[in-house]
Amino acid sequence: MNTITITWIGLPLLLGFVIYLFPKLGAYLSLATVCLSIVYGVWILISQTSFDLQVLDNFGVILKIDQLSGYFILNNALITLAVILYCWHTEKTGFFYTQLTIVHTSVNAVFICADLLSLYVALEVIGIVVFLLIAYPRNDRSIWVALRYLFVGNVAMLFYLVGAILVYKTNYSFALAGINNAPPEALALMIMALLSKGGVFISGLWLPLSHSEAETSVATISGVVVKAGVFPLLRFAEVSDGVGDILRIFGVATALIGSVYAILDQDTKRTLALSTIAQVGWIIAAPAVGGFYTLSHGLAKASAFLTAGVLPSRDFRELERQKINTRLSIVLTIASLSMMGFPLLAGFGAKNLTFNNLLPWQIVIMNIAAVCTAIVYAKFIFLPFGGKQEVRPTFWSGVIVLTLGLFLGNGFYLEAYTIANLSKALIIILAGCLAYGLIFRKINITLNRVLEEFDHLIGFMSLMLILIFWMVLKV
């Protein structure tokens, strides 16, 4: 088993560099890498395998593979597969597929890391490769957005590195279990860094610009990259109940703030990016079951993002005045319904599993957040359809993979199908649609984006660090 795991994580890195030698094989080698990850992820989930692999005993460098890893790996594989199919027979070069393969493998590495050192290395590699992908169009705008992403990410990882060193100094090990004995400043530094990388709360406000301005394929992959920042937080919560309590608080706040921003924005891509912040809140609101919610959200969001990339406009007000392709409308509706928690789609089971693992004080607030989510995605469902826009054939192969995943993913939590849960889901969706149709569709408020400015993002990190340090002392 250890040999299979090491081969699975090492071979794609080799293939990624082989693409430089044989650029014409880039798409095929990337496809092979992703198919390998799909098989590995499905096998972990079906077999319910769980094991540890010690790499360096003296430093506590350990790999851990379990159900949580399986959900994240499968999410990464399916979204990357959809992006490869979406880009098939386009002008994408071997350089693009090399970076795509490396980021796919590095993200997988995060999902099996169980020590602070390996996490740092993998997250740094991801940051550099995503920078190259965002800058891939090589125009002034893309380079500025890429540099902004790189700078914010590097500052966050500097905080993380200091925290990890403090943990090592205390325990003489980088193992995750060491955070229980770590000084509070070490824990606060690492949590703040990972919250920033994961796009959580106000420290995640770098995300709307980066995701909305990046090329559609890159923005879709960036949704997976955000999960690389969230995953270590879920591992922290497994080790420390105190961290779990902190994440629950940030999860609730993030779900509400992200939804409010997304409801009021009039740009399709920014709405999806802001919704990602809200949905990350759902993942960490119930850390023990965040894996399934990650898979559900990842498939739906990627499907919606790819579709938004081929719509005739990014402005909802313009889209309201023209009909979009009916088949595009169907794809958007399926993705949106899953995000709302509609039965027969993965989102229904994921939302109910999350609700079943909330603490009593979270339930009312998360029900409000669920209605807000329904309002956000009603904006996509009620767009007029019947248009005749042409869409390149490779687009459909990508979204078909994601849509099938949404239907099949529904089978991961069939216990959710009770009369009470079905009724609740339909009431929440109906309430969201009515609120959108009667209120939010008629108002035109644009929120000030001053909080997303570059210098403010760095300032938020300092404020978050003070807040988290206080919370760590309290728990």
Side-chain angles (χ1 to χ4, degrees), residues 185-260:
E185 59 270 24
L187 201 51
L189 284 165
M190 290 189 294
I191 293 175
M192 189 282 295
L194 294 172
L195 289 177
S196 296
K197 293 288 284 185
V200 178
F201 200 50
I202 55 174
S203 59
L205 288 176
W206 57 268
L207 195 149
L209 179 63
S210 300
H211 283 206
S212 62
E213 295 298 329
E215 199 178 39
T216 298
S217 57
V218 177
T220 306
I221 285 295
S222 297
V224 177
V225 172
V226 168
K227 305 300 192 312
V230 175
F231 181 84
L233 290 169
L234 302 186
R235 285 289 191 220
F236 280 21
E238 287 180 353
V239 176
S240 166
D241 291 337
V243 174
D245 293 338
I246 292 173
L247 292 185
R248 286 178 182 274
I249 295 170
F250 276 110
V252 168
T254 306
L256 281 178
I257 288 178
S259 295
V260 170

Side-chain angles (χ1 to χ4, degrees), residues 423-437:
S423 303
K424 180 180 175 181
L426 295 177
I427 290 171
I428 286 174
I429 293 171
L430 181 61
C433 291
L434 286 174
Y436 172 69

Side-chain angles (χ1 to χ4, degrees), residues 12 14-20 22 24-35 84 88 97 101:
L14 176 64
L15 292 179
F17 290 106
V18 168
I19 295 173
Y20 270 126
F22 307 99
K24 291 185 178 178
L25 297 178
Y28 299 98
L29 293 177
S30 297
L31 187 62
T33 299
V34 168
C35 289
I84 292 171
W88 205 264
Y97 287 108
T101 303

Side-chain angles (χ1 to χ4, degrees), residues 61-334:
V61 178
I62 303 170
L63 304 182
K64 180 176 183 178
I65 294 88
D66 59 5
Q67 290 283 290
L68 183 63
S69 304
Y71 283 118
F72 277 78
I73 291 168
L74 187 58
N75 174 60
N76 182 23
L78 290 175
I79 292 175
T80 308
L81 173 61
V83 169
I84 292 171
L85 295 175
Y86 175 81
C87 297
W88 205 264
H89 294 315
T90 63
E91 72 283 359
K92 292 287 188 295
T93 63
F95 176 83
F96 174 82
Y97 287 108
T98 297
Q99 307 311 321
L100 190 64
T101 303
I102 292 175
V103 77
H104 171 75
T105 308
S106 302
V107 170
N108 277 342
V110 170
F111 298 156
I112 62 172
C113 283
D115 66 273
L116 303 174
L117 182 62
S118 302
L119 278 172
Y120 174 76
V121 174
L123 288 172
E124 282 289 38
V125 172
I126 291 169
I128 294 169
V129 178
V130 171
F131 160 76
L132 294 173
L133 283 172
I134 295 175
Y136 183 73
R138 298 178 186 176
N139 54 51
D140 291 344
R141 183 67 174 170
S142 67
I143 291 174
W144 158 241
V145 173
L147 286 171
R148 179 178 178 270
Y149 170 83
L150 185 68
F151 189 86
V152 173
N154 280 355
V155 171
M157 291 312 297
L158 181 61
F159 284 120
Y160 176 90
L161 180 61
V162 174
I165 291 173
L166 289 174
V167 172
Y168 182 80
K169 190 177 177 183
T170 304
N171 301 285
Y172 298 104
S173 169
F174 286 108
L176 284 184
I179 66 173
N180 282 319
N181 304 321
E185 59 270 24
L187 201 51
L189 284 165
M190 290 189 294
I191 293 175
M192 189 282 295
L194 294 172
L195 289 177
S196 296
K197 293 288 284 185
V200 178
F201 200 50
I202 55 174
S203 59
L205 288 176
W206 57 268
L207 195 149
L209 179 63
S210 300
H211 283 206
S212 62
E213 295 298 329
E215 199 178 39
T216 298
S217 57
V218 177
T220 306
I221 285 295
S222 297
V224 177
V225 172
V226 168
K227 305 300 192 312
V230 175
F231 181 84
L233 290 169
L234 302 186
R235 285 289 191 220
F236 280 21
E238 287 180 353
V239 176
S240 166
D241 291 337
V243 174
D245 293 338
I246 292 173
L247 292 185
R248 286 178 182 274
I249 295 170
F250 276 110
V252 168
T254 306
L256 281 178
I257 288 178
S259 295
V260 170
Y261 267 86
I263 288 172
L264 298 176
D265 208 286
Q266 296 299 325
D267 183 294
T268 53
K269 286 190 172 182
R270 279 184 55 84
T271 297
L272 291 172
L274 290 162
S275 171
T276 295
I277 294 178
Q279 299 306 306
V280 166
W282 279 86
I283 293 170
I284 63 173
V289 295
F292 183 31
Y293 201 96
T294 296
L295 176 63
S296 163
H297 165 251
L299 298 177
K301 189 252 182 178
S303 180
F305 228 112
L306 289 179
T307 309
V310 297
L311 291 178
S313 171
R314 287 176 53 169
D315 192 326
F316 276 105
R317 288 162 295 200
E318 289 186 22
L319 291 172
E320 290 279 358
R321 293 192 290 269
Q322 56 183 308
K323 296 178 180 178
I324 63 173
N325 185 309
T326 301
R327 289 184 293 173
L328 291 179
S329 178
I330 292 172
V331 173
L332 267 181
T333 300
I334 292 173

Side-chain angles (χ1 to χ4, degrees), residues 408-469:
L408 295 175
N410 178 54
F412 280 116
Y413 190 57
L414 294 176
E415 294 84 352
Y417 283 89
T418 65
I419 298 297
N421 287 341
L422 289 167
S423 303
K424 180 180 175 181
L426 295 177
I427 290 171
I428 286 174
I429 293 171
L430 181 61
C433 291
L434 286 174
Y436 172 69
L438 298 176
I439 303 173
F440 294 100
R441 197 173 193 175
K442 299 174 182 177
I443 63 176
N444 187 7
I445 300 175
T446 303
L447 289 179
N448 196 316
R449 299 181 184 177
V450 67
L451 297 181
E452 300 175 35
E453 292 180 0
F454 182 69
D455 45 355
H456 291 167
L457 293 176
I458 302 300
F460 284 147
M461 287 189 188
S462 303
L463 296 177
M464 287 283 288
L465 183 59
I466 295 170
L467 175 63
I468 295 169
F469 183 72

